Amino acid sequence: MKRLFRLATPLAVLSLAAFCQARAEDTPNGTQLDFTVTGEAHAAPTLLTVRLFGRADSTSAIEAQKTLNAHMADAMKMASGQAGIEAQAGSYSLSDQTPDHGPTRWTARQDLSLSGKDAVPLLDLSGKLQSHGLMMDGLEWSLDSETREALLAQARTKALQKVRKEAEESAKTLGLHVVRLRQVRVSSMEPGPRPVMLMAARASADSFTPPQGTPQEQTLRVTVNVQAELAP
């Protein structure tokens, strides 16, 4: 029988799909035109996150936790003071498994994430931590908050610049003209973190080659839904 006790849960990342559409409908006040435009901004990712975890097994739940806690304390000490690197201890779990024959085995596990803009020292530190017993769980490239906000502003400007032109061209095609824009709604779609395929395997306790991570371009999209009033 296996039981699992979790003290934290991962966040789920949601993304919205962009779409394009146009629809004209006659109303008592004229013709209503609904359409959508999008704007995009592209950039290389600026933030690398390395996900690691520590694990300890024992026939005693207390011993498993004590061993894990000591390993994680050492890991946090190694990570602290590293310029440009943010270390965060994550979710903690304790599980047990009782075989048909033999004593119950307890497993304690805790996650550790390292984030930074400079991949070289970050990957080097992750390699050292693995040499001290931690295990790699994954690499992810993303955008830091400042860069993300700047790109969203660029994408929003590009989308809004298309609104009047799109409305006037559609009205002209219908033999009408734009009276006014009745509604303009702006929404954005941001890319989630991009996992990176791990390119290194553990060599030995005292010799470890840091993993490699190649960044891929990030695309941010802003969608503008517009309702325009047209007339002859």
Side-chain angles (χ1 to χ4, degrees), residues 74-225:
D74 290 341
M76 292 298 293
K77 185 176 180 180
M78 289 179 61
S80 65
Q82 297 283 335
I85 297 178
E86 180 182 357
Q88 290 187 336
S91 61
Y92 192 111
S93 65
L94 177 67
S95 61
D96 70 303
Q97 188 169 5
T98 303
D100 294 335
H101 303 284
T104 298
R105 298 288 301 181
W106 292 87
T107 299
R109 169 176 166 152
Q110 185 171 21
D111 297 332
L112 172 66
S113 66
L114 306 173
S115 299
K117 295 182 179 181
D118 192 343
V120 175
L122 188 63
L123 294 174
D124 182 63
L125 175 60
S126 70
K128 292 178 180 177
L129 289 173
Q130 288 176 83
S131 294
H132 282 73
L134 269 67
M135 288 171 274
M136 173 72 73
D137 203 21
L139 302 175
E140 295 175 348
W141 281 104
S142 60
L143 297 168
D144 67 272
S145 57
E146 183 177 344
T147 301
R148 182 173 61 252
E149 289 301 320
L151 290 175
L152 281 174
Q154 292 178 23
R156 182 167 57 250
T157 297
K158 291 180 180 179
L160 291 172
Q161 288 173 342
K162 297 178 182 179
V163 170
R164 174 61 65 172
K165 180 180 179 181
E166 189 80 15
E168 291 176 348
E169 289 181 351
S170 297
K172 182 178 180 180
T173 301
L174 296 171
L176 304 170
H177 72 276
V178 179
V179 176
R180 60 174 176 161
L181 301 178
R182 300 180 63 181
Q183 289 185 0
V184 177
R185 294 173 298 184
V186 180
S187 60
S188 63
M189 185 186 76
E190 302 181 35
R194 293 195 174 187
V196 179
M197 182 178 296
L198 300 183
M199 301 298 291
R202 183 161 187 172
S204 65
D206 57 358
S207 175
F208 189 88
T209 301
Q212 303 300 309
T214 301
Q216 295 181 328
E217 186 178 68
Q218 304 272 302
T219 299
L220 280 76
R221 295 182 178 87
V222 168
T223 300
V224 180
N225 297 289

